[in-house]
Amino acid sequence: MATKKATKKSAKKTVKKTVKKAAKKSSTKKAAKKSTAKKSTAKKSTSKYSPAAGKQVKTEMHEMKAGKLKSGRSGKKVTNPKQAIAIGLSEARKKGAKVPKKK
């Protein structure tokens, strides 16, 4: 019986050691991920579109949903949301709002 108790205790000690090692490894990985995440968010914080451009797109989307938005020369009704966004950004550019160049 004495040997069974001794083997159980030694087994528990080895399990505890491996758990501690695994915890240390995971904590160092988390710390490394946190530092890289902070760097990437700093770059993304600058806005590419001005609030005025967002307002213009919002109004164009409302017009499209109401069925009043028409496209350029042809004057056909716009039904595609992507096209409504493009029209809104184009109008914002004409008014002088901060909008990135077309691709």
Side-chain angles (χ1 to χ4, degrees), residues 56-80:
Q56 186 66 40
V57 171
K58 186 177 179 180
T59 57
E60 297 298 328
M61 288 295 287
H62 282 291
E63 282 185 29
M64 182 207 65
K65 288 178 182 178
K68 296 178 183 177
L69 184 62
K70 310 251 179 178
S71 65
R73 286 185 186 176
S74 65
K76 290 184 179 179
K77 196 186 324 180
V78 173
T79 56
N80 188 352

Side-chain angles (χ1 to χ4, degrees), residues 22-81:
K24 282 183 182 179
K25 285 182 181 179
S26 65
S27 66
T28 55
K29 286 181 182 179
K30 286 179 184 176
K33 285 183 182 179
K34 285 181 183 177
S35 63
T36 55
K38 287 179 184 176
K39 289 178 184 177
S40 63
T41 55
K43 289 181 183 177
K44 293 180 183 179
S45 66
T46 58
S47 178
K48 292 184 178 184
Y49 297 91
S50 67
K55 243 183 203 178
Q56 186 66 40
V57 171
K58 186 177 179 180
T59 57
E60 297 298 328
M61 288 295 287
H62 282 291
E63 282 185 29
M64 182 207 65
K65 288 178 182 178
K68 296 178 183 177
L69 184 62
K70 310 251 179 178
S71 65
R73 286 185 186 176
S74 65
K76 290 184 179 179
K77 196 186 324 180
V78 173
T79 56
N80 188 352

